[in-house]
Amino acid sequence: MISQSNGFATPHDWAGRYYHIDQILDASGPRTDPAFSAGDEVKDFLRNKAKILVIGAGGLGCEILANLALTGFKDIHVIDMDTIDISNLNRQFLFRQKDVGKPKAIVAAEFIMKRVPGVTVTPYFGKIQDKDEDYYMQFNLIICGLDSVEARRWINATLVNMVDGENPESLKPLIDGGTEGFKGQARVILPTITSCYECSLDMLNKQTAFPICTIANTPRLPEHCIEWASVLEWPRVHGEKKMDTDDPEHITWLYQTASKRAKEFNIEGVTWSLTQGVVKNIIPAIASTNAIIAASCCNEAFKIATSSAAYLNNYFMLIGTDGVYSYTFEHEKRADCPVCGGEAVDMSISSELPVEGLIDLLVEKQDIQIKKPSLSTANKQIYLQAPPQLEAATRPNLSKKVSELVPPGGEITVTASTLPFSLSLRITYT
């Protein structure tokens, strides 16, 4: 039995703490991997050699960090760029009111190390893009508990690019977890072997968009008033100043402006949290969903690290909207995936479509979703988003037809500053 002292573990608890884990690791069985080495060797790797990275210290990340520490991982790193908000406290259980305003990664690391002595959690308060490939190469596996599609695409592409066929250690398994209300998913990605995150981009829910005419003239919902404040009123009042959806002052301005708009049209329901949710496309988080998905992610991490059971191949879905239902399936690789597939994406467009129309398609198309894309061919710059000099030089092409610049069957290379990969489009015309 695990003894406690003022709610915290004491050093002599280690044997008791891992009693149930050791029952799994002490003997092989019908479900163990052929590579499983039962006994002290696998325990030593798990507790003294395995190094694991957790990306995100929010609702999922807090659960993941606690689960990993209690499972036996002792060398854990965590990255998060956010600070603690009071709205986090209802589900991100590693934080307290006194922590509001502090970096999530640092507070989470300190809490875990205090609660589970012997575990080292190394935090980094910043973006995943701040780190280079050498940093990610040190880990045995990586778990994502992110709420950002762009961040997931970045780390996915980075890990795929790191794989060197001559160095098996360069392949870093990626376990990705995500939740949306009562629904969630966990998946195992083996870069270049299984389907990657980019392969499944078309499975994401489309973001809700409100018609401009509705939000400008006939708002009926509190969301319409918030969209009006962010899409129309912010640029009118602030000009070129960019809105920062992570800045509480900007959210407060939007909330106050949307509230005045709602009052004019007798609309109720505009709140600060709803304002933040609309402009950041936040879906309310459910603590129980986070717990289930985090447990699934950590279960896969444990299986991969120890070979004590076959790991997921490769997708787990949880549906909790009507009862509780879950299922698994194998998501297949896309041959035309720009990250792991290698083949060009065939795109058929009208011969009358202008370049700016193609750019809109690339932003909206569910299986591409590239914000601010730059376009070029092997011998021509069609339109570049940056630097300003090249943007100005290529801006006249926006009104030109794509067919004037690219022959049938020609390929366009699409890049974006937010993504570490390029997409090749093979163009045909109708």
Side-chain angles (χ1 to χ4, degrees):
M1 181 178 293
I2 297 176
S3 61
Q4 300 290 324
S5 175
N6 297 322
F8 294 93
T10 54
H12 63 272
D13 293 335
W14 289 109
R17 178 182 297 284
Y18 296 124
Y19 172 75
H20 295 290
I21 299 295
D22 286 348
Q23 286 186 310
I24 298 172
L25 301 180
D26 278 335
S28 60
R31 296 182 181 273
T32 56
D33 188 281
F36 180 54
S37 176
D40 292 339
E41 185 177 344
V42 68
K43 293 179 190 176
D44 179 63
F45 177 80
L46 176 68
R47 294 164 191 171
N48 299 315
K49 297 177 182 176
K51 182 180 289 190
I52 189 166
L53 172 65
V54 177
I55 300 178
L60 267 179
C62 284
E63 296 275 359
I64 289 169
L65 287 168
N67 288 349
L68 291 175
L70 294 172
T71 302
F73 290 94
K74 291 186 180 178
D75 189 355
I76 305 169
H77 292 239
V78 59
I79 293 179
D80 196 291
M81 62 178 288
D82 287 341
T83 54
I84 299 163
D85 185 83
I86 195 166
S87 64
N88 302 147
L89 302 184
N90 68 334
R91 65 195 181 281
Q92 298 177 20
F93 65 95
L94 300 183
F95 311 138
R96 301 293 181 266
Q97 193 161 353
K98 64 181 175 59
D99 300 320
V100 170
K102 298 178 182 178
K104 289 184 177 181
I106 294 173
V107 174
E110 291 173 348
F111 189 102
I112 292 293
M113 287 190 289
K114 185 177 181 181
R115 187 68 179 82
V116 190
V119 172
T120 300
V121 184
T122 305
Y124 176 69
F125 174 44
K127 299 179 179 180
I128 55 175
Q129 293 88 345
D130 296 342
K131 301 296 188 179
D132 58 17
E133 289 188 0
D134 288 340
Y135 173 82
Y136 294 107
M137 194 67 76
Q138 67 181 302
F139 302 105
N140 296 101
L141 58 94
I142 296 167
I143 303 181
C144 281
L146 290 162
D147 60 3
S148 164
V149 172
E150 282 195 359
R152 281 188 173 100
R153 295 175 76 178
W154 189 91
I155 190 63
N156 172 74
T158 297
L159 296 182
V160 170
N161 292 337
M162 281 169 48
V163 176
D164 177 358
E166 297 181 358
N167 178 18
E169 297 297 320
S170 65
L171 192 153
K172 307 298 178 182
L174 173 65
I175 301 169
D176 178 58
T179 63
E180 291 184 352
F182 288 102
K183 296 186 290 185
Q185 54 83 20
R187 64 186 298 186
V188 172
I189 297 171
L190 302 180
T192 72
I193 296 176
T194 65
S195 67
C196 72
Y197 186 79
E198 198 75 17
C199 290
S200 59
L201 210 57
D202 58 350
M203 293 179 63
L204 299 177
N205 290 335
K206 290 186 177 180
Q207 295 187 10
T208 302
F210 301 108
I212 290 292
C213 58
T214 299
I215 66 175
N217 303 313
T218 57
R220 299 182 301 277
L221 302 171
E223 290 86 351
H224 293 163
C225 300
I226 296 166
E227 281 285 288
W228 174 83
S230 63
V231 175
L232 300 178
E233 198 65 1
W234 177 276
R236 187 187 72 79
V237 174
H238 297 280
E240 296 294 322
K241 183 178 180 180
K242 185 178 179 182
M243 183 196 307
D244 182 359
T245 56
D246 291 318
D247 188 329
E249 291 185 5
H250 290 195
I251 298 296
T252 299
W253 185 93
L254 292 173
Y255 161 60
Q256 294 171 344
T257 305
S259 296
K260 292 177 184 176
R261 174 79 164 175
K263 189 174 181 180
E264 292 175 15
F265 287 87
N266 296 316
I267 297 171
E268 298 181 351
V270 174
T271 63
W272 196 93
S273 60
L274 180 64
T275 302
Q276 185 184 47
V278 169
V279 298
K280 297 186 70 173
N281 193 37
I282 294 174
I283 297 172
I286 309 296
S288 57
T289 310
N290 285 340
I292 294 169
I293 296 303
S296 178
C297 289
C298 294
N299 193 35
E300 297 308 316
F302 179 80
K303 290 188 288 186
I304 291 173
T306 63
S307 298
S308 56
Y311 51 80
L312 180 68
N313 181 33
N314 51 31
Y315 218 111
F316 164 78
M317 294 288 292
L318 170 72
I319 310 295
T321 47
D322 297 303
V324 179
Y325 171 68
S326 67
Y327 64 98
T328 62
F329 66 95
E330 180 180 356
H331 190 284
E332 297 184 357
K333 292 180 68 173
R334 276 175 48 199
D336 61 357
C337 173
V339 173
C340 71
E343 294 185 12
V345 176
D346 290 313
M347 178 174 281
S348 179
I349 61 175
S350 168
S351 58
E352 300 297 313
L353 186 73
V355 170
E356 60 185 349
L358 176 59
I359 289 175
D360 289 341
L361 277 179
L362 295 174
V363 173
E364 297 170 3
K365 203 168 186 303
Q366 189 71 1
D367 58 350
I368 294 179
Q369 298 185 47
I370 295 183
K371 297 179 181 178
K372 295 186 177 181
S374 293
L375 314 179
S376 62
T377 64
N379 52 18
K380 186 184 304 179
Q381 294 173 339
I382 298 176
Y383 178 70
L384 301 182
Q385 298 275 355
Q389 299 92 332
L390 289 179
E391 192 281 329
T394 56
R395 193 181 306 154
N397 287 338
L398 288 174
S399 58
K400 293 181 181 180
K401 299 175 184 177
V402 178
S403 56
E404 296 175 21
L405 303 170
V406 182
E411 293 192 4
I412 297 177
T413 300
V414 184
T415 58
S417 60
T418 56
L419 299 172
F421 64 85
S422 62
L423 168 67
S424 183
L425 297 179
R426 187 183 296 113
I427 301 296
T428 57
Y429 299 105
T430 57

